[in-house]
Amino acid sequence: AIVEETHGSKLDVPATRERLLDAWRSGEAQAVAQMQTVVPTTSAQNLRHIGVSQILTRFSSYFDPAQEGRVSNIRTAAGLLNGLVLGADEEFSFNTVVGPRTLERGFHVAPEIINQEMVPGVGGGVCQVSSTLYNVALLTGLDIIERRNHSRPLGYMGIGRDATVYYGAIDLRFRNSLPVPLVFSTEVADNRLTIAVSSSVTLPVEHAVVTEEPEIISPNTIIENDESLPPHETVVVKEGQPGWAVNTWLVTSGFDGQELHRKFVARSIYPPQATVLRQNLVSGSSSSVL
């Protein structure tokens, strides 16, 4: 059912900060927060005009509800996608729609993966939204234009099925290859993020995402010189981790289950993390790689 739209509101962080500073300077005990009106991305009238009546695809991923900053970022990014209308042959850009991940825009500091390491960053968790959306686009049969996997596998998404984003550098882009407009809806409830795609028609086929058996990439070993150690004594600085390489395919079948087409989607490579050892190298070499 189509629900009539309502305007929302959000805190204007820069303006509220200025009001708090002004109150502090003048010795006032309190200040009034500045709010902004949030206009819906579409309207019930527009949806009726499009004729949305069929859910083509929905896909869910799961998160830890105790990670409040991360969950808040998921809600914010998902909210910016909710109600999005993508016309026939129109191209979608995640970074264009979701925009910069900044504190001023309501995003929070939360863990994110940078160069294979989990570090704090503004907008941590947004990649779960892009990864979930990527799977929705695949299952709807849309043309993927740009997608990049993370530097290491994720706990919330199968290997080869993730899509990392970084504003200004890494995007998720796809094109609506169907002859009708699509409407995206999002829901964040309990520990689940769900993204669905609706339209005025049903898909004449079924799509399934298939990943091959991952290939293991063995890590290298880096030996660093430490003259404070006894000769040839070895100290393990960091245990290495294997990497993975996997091919992903989109399998199209009829409703009788017969495979009609198999399309190569991407090869995802998650680099290994090297083992780092420290030794007193008799040769005097500063470091070596095995």
Side-chain angles (χ1 to χ4, degrees):
I2 297 175
V3 179
E4 295 294 330
E5 74 277 4
T6 58
H7 285 56
S9 62
K10 68 176 182 179
L11 179 68
D12 186 332
V13 176
T16 301
R17 183 187 297 118
E18 288 300 317
R19 288 189 174 187
L20 289 170
L21 288 173
D22 289 342
W24 176 74
R25 294 187 188 105
S26 60
E28 298 178 9
Q30 59 184 0
V32 178
Q34 176 69 46
M35 305 300 293
Q36 291 179 322
T37 299
V38 181
V39 179
T41 55
T42 190
S43 65
Q45 181 179 357
N46 187 31
L47 295 180
R48 293 189 188 98
H49 176 73
I50 294 172
V52 175
S53 59
Q54 304 291 333
I55 295 179
L56 304 184
T57 310
R58 62 160 57 94
F59 187 85
S60 297
S61 62
Y62 298 84
F63 52 81
D64 181 359
Q67 297 181 0
E68 295 182 0
R70 192 172 184 280
V71 174
S72 178
N73 292 334
I74 290 173
R75 289 186 182 277
T76 299
L80 292 167
L81 292 173
N82 193 38
L84 172 73
V85 177
L86 191 65
D89 204 44
E90 186 177 353
E91 183 178 314
F92 167 87
S93 162
F94 188 91
N95 284 337
T96 298
V97 173
V98 175
R101 276 69 91 181
T102 62
L103 296 174
E104 290 75 15
R105 298 188 67 241
F107 290 93
H108 296 264
V109 175
E112 62 180 357
I113 298 175
I114 301 292
N115 295 327
Q116 298 184 292
E117 300 293 337
M118 192 68 76
V119 298
V122 178
V126 168
C127 284
Q128 180 159 351
V129 181
S130 60
S131 295
T132 304
L133 180 62
Y134 173 58
N135 280 267
V136 169
L138 286 175
L139 293 170
T140 311
L142 307 185
D143 293 337
I144 306 301
I145 299 171
E146 179 182 351
R147 170 263 177 187
R148 188 185 302 181
N149 60 276
H150 288 75
S151 57
R152 72 185 203 186
L154 307 173
Y156 60 79
M157 191 65 62
I159 187 170
R161 300 186 63 161
D162 60 305
T164 185
V165 289
Y166 191 86
Y167 189 79
I170 305 171
D171 203 357
L172 170 65
R173 295 187 298 129
F174 52 80
R175 183 179 67 86
N176 178 10
S177 50
L178 300 178
V180 292
L182 301 175
V183 178
F184 292 79
S185 58
T186 63
E187 181 185 32
V188 181
D190 299 323
N191 66 332
R192 184 183 71 251
L193 163 67
T194 301
I195 301 180
V197 178
S198 301
S199 187
S200 59
V201 298
T202 58
L203 292 176
V205 294
E206 292 184 325
H207 299 293
V209 180
V210 176
T211 53
E212 297 178 355
E213 186 70 23
E215 305 168 25
I216 300 176
I217 306 173
S218 299
N220 293 330
T221 299
I222 300 174
I223 301 178
E224 300 176 340
N225 186 37
D226 186 346
E227 296 181 0
S228 66
L229 295 174
H232 302 298
E233 180 177 325
T234 300
V235 174
V236 179
V237 178
K238 180 181 179 182
E239 291 282 358
Q241 298 293 330
W244 308 89
V246 64
N247 293 329
T248 302
W249 299 78
L250 184 68
V251 177
T252 303
S253 304
F255 289 105
D256 59 358
Q258 182 176 358
E259 183 175 323
L260 303 174
H261 181 64
R262 182 174 292 244
K263 177 183 177 182
F264 177 74
V265 174
R267 181 172 175 81
S268 303
I269 299 177
Y270 305 85
Q273 299 183 50
T275 297
V276 180
L277 306 178
R278 190 172 293 151
Q279 293 180 349
N280 186 346
L281 303 173
V282 176
S283 62
S285 173
S286 60
S287 66
S288 63
V289 178
L290 301 180

